[in-house]
């Protein structure tokens, strides 16, 4: 029979929750497009108008 590792002690609720303290979801940081004023991700092409950095990159 193959033996596999098993925890020696039960992980307490405090230790478990401290480990999970960095697991929270973060809302995306949206900025306004200067061309069409729609919300877009920073450093990304605007999905509404196709502009990036003041010039049209994508024909929409």
């Amino acid at each position: 029979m193959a033996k596999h590792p098993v925890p020696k002690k039960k992980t307490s609720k405090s230790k478990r929750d401290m480990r999970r303290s960095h697991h929270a979801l973060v809302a995306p940081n949206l900025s306004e497009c200067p061309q069409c004023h729609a919300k877009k991700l920073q450093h990304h092409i605007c999905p509404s108008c196709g502009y990036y950095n003041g010039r049209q990159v994508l024909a929409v």
Side-chain angles (χ1 to χ4, degrees), residues 2-4 8-9 19 21-22 30 32 41 48 51 54:
K3 297 198 177 196
H4 58 278
K8 196 163 200 135
K9 298 282 186 188
R19 182 179 68 244
S21 67
H22 304 288
L30 298 175
E32 188 178 275
L41 286 169
S48 301
Y51 272 76

Side-chain angles (χ1 to χ4, degrees), residues 13-44:
K13 294 170 195 162
S14 174
K15 286 289 184 186
R16 177 198 67 198
D17 294 344
M18 282 194 284
R19 182 179 68 244
R20 294 177 184 173
S21 67
H22 304 288
H23 292 192
L25 295 174
V26 179
N29 191 11
L30 298 175
S31 61
E32 188 178 275
C33 174
Q35 304 293 330
C36 66
H37 304 289
K39 296 286 183 187
K40 69 173 196 73
L41 286 169
Q42 294 180 344
H43 306 286
H44 283 69

